[in-house]
Amino acid sequence: MKRRVVITGIGAVSPNGIGREQFWDATKRGVSGVRRITRFDASNHLVQVAGEVEGLDESAWVEPKDRPHVSRVVPLGATAAAEALVDAGVDWKSMNRDHLRGVGVIVGSGGGSQEFTEEQYRLYYAGLHKQCSVYTIPTSTIGTLSSEISMRFGFRGMSHIVSTGCTSSTDAIGYAYRNIQAGMLDTMLAGGVDAPISPLILRGFIVMRILTQSWNNSPEQASRPFSKDRDGFVLGEGAWFFVLEEMEHAKARGAHIYGEIAGYGSTCEAYHRVRLEECGEEPARTIGMAIEEAGVQPEAIDYISYHGTATELNDRIETRAMKLAFNGHAYKVAGSSLKSLIGHPQGACGAAGIASTLLAMRDGVVSPTLNLDNNDPECDLDYVPHTARKMGMEYALANCIAFGSKNSAIVLRNL
C-alpha cells in the first residue's frame, strides 16, 4: 500500500489578509483584496488594479541592508512558510542537523523574482550600473527561491522549485505528496509564492489582452469569474504554504490534521503557448486521474475549487471540462473561484485554493464567488455566487490550468 499523506500546517499571506485565519475570515465573508495599485505609479497603464498584499513586515525575514538584493517573493514566502510550520508544531529552531536533513522544501512559483530582475534592468539601462545588486544573477534565477526558503529554516532535505505557470504550486504540492508516498521523506514544506505586480509584467499582460480594463474605479468588482460581462483577470500576489507528512508520522507526534491528499493528476495538452483546446478533454482527463487515484467515483466530490480566472475562454473551457469529468454530477457539485476575491496570484493560485478548501472543510462553509451577477450562458454550474454557503464535505477537488496548456488537479479528503 502507498503511504498516506496528510496536511498538518497552513500558512497564508494574501491580498485579503495576512495570516491563515485573517485570510480565511475575509475569504468566507467575501471580502475582496483587490485595490488600486500602490506598488508603483500605474496611472499611465490601461489597468490600474491588482490584488496587493499590504502591511507585511518584511524585516522579519530580510534585514534592511539586504533588502536591495532580495526579491519580494522571499519575505512573502518565508512568512507563510513559518506560519505553516508553527501551525504544524514543527520547531525548526530546536532541530539538530540530522532532523533538519529530514525535511524537504518544494516551492511553486510562476515567475519567482521577476520584479527584482525588472528593477535591475531598469537600473542598468538608465546608466546606473553601480546601483545594480551584486546578487543580480543568483536572485534573478528562479531556482534559488527554494534555497532562500530552506536557508531561513535550516532544512537540509531536497530543495526544489517547480515553475509550470499557473499550475506551479499545485504541482509543487503534488510532487511533495509523491515524495512522501515513495518514502523519500516523512515531512515536506510545500506551497507557492508569486509577486508579479510590476510595470513591465503588468504591461506584458495588457498587451496579451487578458487583464480586465473595465473596473479601475471599482476595484472590488474587477474580478468576475464565470460572469457574462467578464473581460479578463486581475493580477495578484501572495504566498500559501503547507506542512505535508506521512500519516502515521503525523499521528505519532499528535499533530492536528486538516485533511489528506488523496489524489493528484497532471497533464499537458501540447496545444498552444497560451490558449486551451476548446473541447476541454485534457483538463477533464487530469481531474479523472486525480479522482481515480483517490479511489472514489466522481459523484463523491462535494466541492470544487475552480481555477476561474475570469478570462473569456478559460472559464468556458473549465466549465466544459467539469461536465466531461463529472457528467450530470457537474450540476450538483458546488464550487467557487477564490480569484474573485484576491485576483490571480499566478503560480501561487493552486496553493491558495487548497488553503481555502482545507479551511472550508474544517469549518463546514465554502467561500463565495464574487461579482457573479449574470452568468455566461455556457457557465451554468453552481459557483456559489455572492455569499458563503454552509455545507459539509468529505472530498473536494482543487483544479488548475496554466499557459503552455498544462493541467493539474488535487483531491483532498476530510478526515
Side-chain angles (χ1 to χ4, degrees), residues 129-287:
H129 305 172
K130 293 183 179 180
Q131 293 185 31
C132 290
S133 171
V134 68
Y135 292 113
T136 293
I137 297 303
T139 300
S140 297
T141 304
I142 192 170
T144 62
L145 175 54
S146 61
S147 296
E148 290 278 3
I149 299 299
S150 295
M151 286 187 291
R152 278 160 175 78
F153 301 101
F155 297 138
R156 297 170 181 266
M158 65 180 68
S159 184
H160 293 175
I161 193 81
V162 178
S163 188
T164 52
C166 299
T167 58
S168 296
S169 57
T170 304
D171 289 328
I173 295 161
Y175 296 167
Y177 159 68
R178 290 274 186 257
N179 274 282
I180 295 174
Q181 264 191 333
M184 302 293 290
L185 291 167
D186 289 328
T187 306
M188 297 286 293
L189 175 66
V193 57
D194 255 325
I197 303 173
S198 65
L200 180 59
I201 297 170
L202 184 68
R203 177 60 184 166
F205 281 119
I206 290 171
V207 170
M208 292 177 69
R209 299 181 180 179
I210 56 175
L211 294 183
T212 179
Q213 301 180 17
S214 304
W215 303 92
N216 288 332
N217 294 321
S218 305
E220 293 182 356
Q221 300 178 50
S223 185
R224 310 179 70 81
F226 309 109
S227 181
K228 187 176 182 179
D229 59 356
R230 71 190 184 280
D231 65 340
F233 71 81
V234 172
L235 199 60
E237 65 177 356
W240 293 263
F241 273 79
F242 309 89
V243 174
L244 279 65
E245 296 184 61
E246 190 274 327
M247 180 183 280
E248 296 307 317
H249 180 272
K251 287 182 176 179
R253 65 183 194 86
H256 168 74
I257 294 174
Y258 284 97
E260 178 181 5
I261 299 179
Y264 166 62
S266 179
T267 69
C268 182
E269 295 175 5
Y271 177 69
H272 192 272
R273 294 185 186 94
V274 178
R275 294 172 62 93
L276 297 169
E277 280 190 299
E278 294 212 23
C279 64
E281 290 181 5
E282 294 309 316
R285 184 169 73 91
T286 308
I287 292 164

Side-chain angles (χ1 to χ4, degrees), residues 66-132:
D66 291 330
R67 190 63 188 87
H69 312 297
V70 176
S71 172
R72 180 168 168 81
V73 289
V74 174
L76 286 172
T79 301
E83 184 183 28
L85 291 164
V86 170
D87 186 33
V90 177
D91 183 5
W92 69 91
K93 295 178 182 178
S94 67
M95 287 182 170
N96 61 31
R97 184 178 289 256
D98 284 342
H99 287 150
L100 291 167
R101 287 171 176 164
V103 182
V105 174
I106 303 186
V107 180
S109 186
S113 302
Q114 284 177 322
E115 41 71 52
F116 171 88
T117 307
E118 182 178 325
E119 175 63 9
Q120 302 310 302
Y121 285 153
R122 186 192 68 78
L123 292 171
Y124 180 83
Y125 288 111
L128 304 172
H129 305 172
K130 293 183 179 180
Q131 293 185 31
C132 290

